[in-house]
Amino acid sequence: QVQLQESGPGLVKPSETLSLTCTVSGLSISSDYYWGWVRQPPGKGLEWIGTIHHTGRTFYKPSLNGRVSISVDTSKNQFSLKLTSVTATDTAVYYCVREIASSPDFWGQGTLVTVSS
Amino acid sequence: QSALTQPPSASGSPGQSVTISCTGTSTDVGGYNYVSWYQQHPGKVPKRMIYEVSKRPSGVPDRFSGSKSGSTASLTVSGLQAEDEAEYYCSSHAGGNNPHVVFGGGTKLTVL
């Protein structure tokens, strides 16, 4: 069974960079899937952030392009998210997901990241 | 503002059917058969209920069905049960020069 687990700081200061890592178990990250991130601000809806293939091909939400980058480390079976110049509006639960045909099917448990000084 | 439009709320009594709509454009819902639906109970991880417009993952009851007409997709829950009360989100592939995924704003389904 595929499992995904997010890790990273739960508190980030405004203007700094949010960094999260997702560790995948039960399946090689080099399998023919995309691996991505979805976030959910407290009390609000889901927002797709971006996705990466193990070959390095990436797609990002247009309005976040320029602030977001996703990378993959096949040796560790992990992929990572970096979001620069964060503000309070980036406060959210961040989920890492496996994605196939533009549809996230397996989700991590999610990690709350708060942007505050 | 979300890319896909869903009604904020829907309701039905146990045993009844309810349909939730998800309206997009020709560049997302209307242009691709890559619409998914997710169920999220409070404090829980979203669960995929429908993918590719009308396909059900293993383990999802056949009371849940999906369809699409033009740029509007729909999720129908038949034979409503108390445990169906949750937030439901649609998503779709969006094309163009920068392919990505868009979500709807969510619909709170209440079982009366």
Side-chain angles (χ1 to χ4, degrees), chain A residues 38 40 44-48 58-62 65 95 99-105 107-110, chain B residues 34 36 38 40 44-48 50-52 89 91-94 98-105:
Chain A
V38 174
Q40 185 171 35
K44 297 189 178 181
L46 301 170
E47 180 184 14
W48 184 87
T58 54
F59 298 98
Y60 300 126
K61 178 174 180 175
N65 219 344
Y95 296 99
E99 192 176 298
I100 182 167
S102 296
S103 177
D105 59 351
W107 297 60
Q109 287 302 303
Chain B
Y34 291 126
S36 299
Y38 296 87
Q40 187 179 35
K44 300 297 186 182
V45 177
K47 176 185 177 182
R48 191 174 69 164
I50 296 287
Y51 67 100
E52 292 179 18
Y89 296 92
S91 73
S92 173
H93 174 83
N98 184 11
H100 55 286
V101 174
V102 291
F103 278 98

Side-chain angles (χ1 to χ4, degrees), chain B residues 2 19 23 33 36 45 49 54-55 67-68 76-77 82 84 86 91-93 96 102 104 109 112:
Chain B
S2 302
T19 297
T23 301
N33 288 323
S36 299
V45 177
M49 307 300 284
S54 60
K55 297 179 180 179
S67 63
K68 189 185 85 166
T76 298
V77 185
D84 299 333
S91 73
S92 173
H93 174 83
V102 291
L109 174 60
L112 302 170

Side-chain angles (χ1 to χ4, degrees), chain A residues 4-23:
Chain A
L4 298 91
Q5 180 66 57
E6 306 87 352
S7 59
L11 181 64
V12 181
K13 290 182 168 57
S15 80
E16 295 191 345
T17 297
L18 180 159
S19 297
L20 295 173
T21 295
C22 182
T23 301

